[in-house]
Amino acid sequence: MPISEKTIKILLKYQKNEITEHNIYLKLAKREKSPENRKVFEEISADELRHYNQWREYTKKDVSPDRRRIFFFFVISRLFGLTFGVKLMERGEESAQTKYKKLIDEIPGAGIIAEEEDRHENALLQLLDEERLRYTGSMVLGLNDALVELTGALAGFTFALRNTKLVALTGAITGFAAALSMAASEYLSKKSDETDKNPFKASLYTGSAYIITVVLLIAPFLLLNNIFICLATTLITAIAIIAVFNYYISVAKDQKFKNRFIEMAGLSVGVAVVSFFIGYLLRAFIGVDP
């Protein structure tokens, strides 16, 4: 059966996608230390190349890979972890699987390719096991505690002290002390639990997440002059941190983004608002006038 010109154009796009992902998986395989993971990546890379050649039988044309996409997903995988990078890429393949199945009437082989794409994702889900994802509970603990506690504290300090440098100093002391306390608590918690997680690593992830959050939240009070603009910027920063982290978790661990984001953002902003008014009441009651 002759293939329409419209379908040829669609197949050329699929070809480009397959040869691009072939190169991405091949590049990841070369950098992967685990022999088991490397073998799976090499097999998937070979499948992607075979798919490319199958589409080429219909189009009779060669297509160059998307070098920018290769670079993007390789860098993302190196910076944010193999699991996040690959699953982010596989999310794009979901739409491709649907489109492949629509071509079955005109191209019978499209159904086989669609099934193999599904198998790729299942294989990846079975293979990927990164340390940073095993310790997401510790990161969530540090991040969530820092966001809720420090945004509330900074809001209270803002109205009580009315001085950007004093707020930054007080917030930094409060934040770093709390980070060390949380890290120590996580260490003792994991040491007493029957778990395969390393207590030191768990405390390191908790403390690191807390300290990074502290630095980002107090930065506006060091860089800006208007105390209320500083507080508004801090709250926006807190919401941005929550959005980025929850997006990462939603991709890497296949969890829903919306509910987690609303819950964490609501807690942080709610505590900040309450603390702001507590700071106002304490300032009026004690009569502090810095």
Side-chain angles (χ1 to χ4, degrees):
M1 181 183 295
I3 301 174
S4 66
E5 191 65 30
K6 181 181 178 181
T7 301
I8 292 293
K9 289 181 180 179
I10 293 173
L11 293 182
L12 286 172
K13 291 181 181 179
Y14 293 168
Q15 264 186 262
K16 192 176 190 68
N17 183 65
E18 298 292 355
I19 196 64
T20 297
E21 294 188 356
H22 159 71
N23 281 276
I24 292 171
Y25 285 117
L26 191 62
K27 200 174 182 69
L28 291 173
K30 290 178 180 178
R31 296 296 297 268
E32 178 58 39
K33 295 179 180 180
S34 167
E36 293 81 9
N37 290 0
R38 190 186 311 117
K39 182 180 179 182
V40 173
F41 278 130
E42 287 172 348
E43 289 177 356
I44 295 175
S45 177
D47 283 344
E48 301 288 5
L49 182 60
R50 189 175 70 257
H51 296 164
Y52 167 83
N53 288 323
Q54 286 175 317
W55 295 135
R56 188 181 180 280
E57 290 178 6
Y58 295 102
T59 64
K60 310 300 182 184
K61 295 179 181 179
D62 285 311
V63 178
S64 300
D66 186 338
R67 298 294 178 187
R68 286 182 296 182
R69 189 162 180 252
I70 293 171
F71 177 78
F72 174 78
F73 280 110
F74 181 75
V75 171
I76 287 293
S77 298
R78 301 303 297 176
L79 288 177
F80 300 103
L82 192 64
T83 305
F84 178 81
V86 170
K87 286 191 176 181
L88 187 64
M89 183 172 65
E90 287 293 320
R91 277 191 170 189
E93 283 197 6
E94 289 178 5
S95 60
Q97 291 165 22
T98 303
K99 292 175 182 176
Y100 289 174
K101 291 175 182 177
K102 289 180 180 178
L103 296 172
I104 292 177
D105 292 337
E106 196 169 356
I107 303 174
I112 298 174
I113 296 176
E115 290 176 4
E116 288 187 347
E117 294 289 0
D118 286 328
R119 184 166 55 82
H120 289 174
E121 187 170 354
N122 292 330
L124 285 168
L125 290 173
Q126 295 297 322
L127 105 92
L128 297 174
D129 179 29
E130 286 188 290
E131 179 182 281
R132 71 183 72 187
L133 289 181
R134 292 199 300 271
Y135 290 93
T136 50
S138 298
M139 287 190 285
V140 168
L141 179 65
L143 187 74
N144 189 59
D145 195 80
L147 286 166
V148 172
E149 181 177 336
L150 201 60
T151 51
L154 290 173
F157 295 152
T158 294
F159 213 102
L161 302 178
R162 300 281 188 90
N163 183 296
T164 56
K165 296 299 183 287
L166 279 176
V167 172
L169 176 63
T170 310
I173 293 171
T174 302
F176 287 119
L180 295 174
S181 175
M182 286 296 298
S185 297
E186 181 70 354
Y187 175 84
L188 294 174
S189 174
K190 287 295 182 286
K191 194 169 184 179
S192 62
D193 292 342
E194 293 183 4
T195 176
D196 59 346
K197 294 179 182 177
N198 185 298
F200 177 75
K201 286 184 178 180
S203 66
L204 188 62
Y205 277 104
T206 299
S208 298
Y210 205 118
I211 289 172
I212 291 171
T213 306
V214 168
V215 171
L216 292 173
L217 293 181
I218 67 171
F221 292 92
L222 295 172
L223 300 174
L224 304 173
N225 294 320
N226 187 295
I227 190 75
F228 295 108
I229 292 178
C230 290
L231 178 60
T233 305
T234 292
L235 292 175
I236 292 171
T237 302
I239 292 172
I241 293 170
I242 293 169
V244 170
F245 182 77
N246 278 287
Y247 179 73
Y248 174 85
I249 296 297
S250 70
V251 172
K253 302 194 77 173
D254 297 317
Q255 296 180 0
K256 291 183 178 180
F257 169 81
K258 185 178 178 180
N259 292 340
R260 288 175 57 90
F261 171 75
I262 291 174
E263 183 180 33
M264 286 187 70
L267 281 172
S268 297
V269 174
V271 169
V273 170
V274 172
S275 299
F276 184 88
F277 285 107
I278 289 174
Y280 170 79
L281 293 174
L282 289 175
R283 177 185 172 86
F285 179 76
I286 298 174
V288 176
D289 190 19

